[in-house]
Amino acid sequence: MTAHEQLKAILQEDIRQLELLAEVLHQEKSVLSSADIQPLQEMTSRKNQILEGIRDRAKKKIHLLVNMGYKPNAGEPSRFIRAAGMDELHQLWKDADTRLRECQAVNQNNGRILGHLQKRLSRLTDIFRGASAQQKLYGAKGQQTNVSSTNILASA
């Protein structure tokens, strides 16, 4: 099998795995919006498995590209592939990159949801402990800030 064929097979596998990762991330988003958090552990292990495979194939892709004449300090690999006239590989590379960026966007959104859930849990815990003497508001970046005020009931 030539380096060209190997790279093609790796890119096709990346695309399949990134589609699977996108499915898992969308399922994770659904689970985060429900009250049932139990499946998150399984989803996390599935995500880690998929990501490990993607990392391994990324190393293989770079090695294959170097064997084909790519110099890592010369810029993006997609430029090298396009300049070499490997149109099919270039299209597969672009497809994989697009799917990767979609997965990153969904993952960031899920991270924001998790952050909000953690803040809500922290706030509820403060209320249950009675440690909520100061009111908290959200700032421009979504961070909680304490707001202190004093109410003078009487003066002598």
Side-chain angles (χ1 to χ4, degrees):
M1 184 182 271
T2 67
H4 184 274
E5 292 168 339
Q6 288 177 335
L7 186 56
K8 180 180 173 182
I10 289 172
L11 287 169
Q12 288 171 335
E13 180 62 21
D14 274 352
I15 290 170
R16 280 192 292 275
Q17 290 297 309
L18 287 166
E19 288 171 351
L20 181 61
L21 180 60
E23 287 178 28
V24 172
L25 289 168
H26 285 292
Q27 289 172 0
E28 181 182 61
K29 184 178 180 183
S30 297
V31 168
L32 289 172
S33 64
S34 72
D36 185 19
I37 305 296
Q38 199 72 6
L40 277 180
Q41 182 65 33
E42 179 187 330
M43 288 180 185
T44 301
S45 65
R46 285 179 59 199
K47 282 191 317 185
N48 287 337
Q49 246 180 350
I50 294 169
L51 290 171
E52 186 63 35
I54 290 171
R55 283 186 207 105
D56 288 343
R57 283 188 303 280
K59 292 175 189 173
K60 290 176 185 175
K61 286 187 292 193
I62 293 299
H63 288 298
L64 285 171
L65 286 169
V66 167
N67 290 340
M68 295 168 74
Y70 171 69
K71 296 185 181 4
N73 58 358
E76 294 181 16
S78 62
R79 285 189 207 162
F80 169 78
I81 294 170
R82 185 180 48 190
M86 297 180 265
D87 295 332
E88 184 181 15
L89 286 179
H90 186 255
Q91 186 59 44
L92 287 171
W93 192 280
K94 282 178 27 182
D95 289 349
D97 186 58
T98 300
R99 284 179 174 78
L100 178 64
R101 291 181 193 282
E102 290 170 2
C103 288
Q104 287 172 335
V106 175
N107 192 49
Q108 286 176 346
N109 190 33
N110 288 356
R112 283 191 292 272
I113 292 170
L114 274 173
H116 289 299
L117 290 173
Q118 288 173 335
K119 288 176 188 174
R120 187 184 322 168
L121 180 61
S122 174
R123 179 76 174 127
L124 287 172
T125 304
D126 287 348
I127 290 170
F128 286 138
R129 277 193 263 145
S132 182
Q134 295 181 340
Q135 293 181 349
K136 294 181 180 179
L137 296 177
Y138 288 102
K141 294 183 179 180
Q143 303 292 45
Q144 286 185 353
T145 57
N146 291 332
V147 177
S148 61
S149 62
T150 57
N151 293 331
I152 300 174
L153 298 177
S155 63

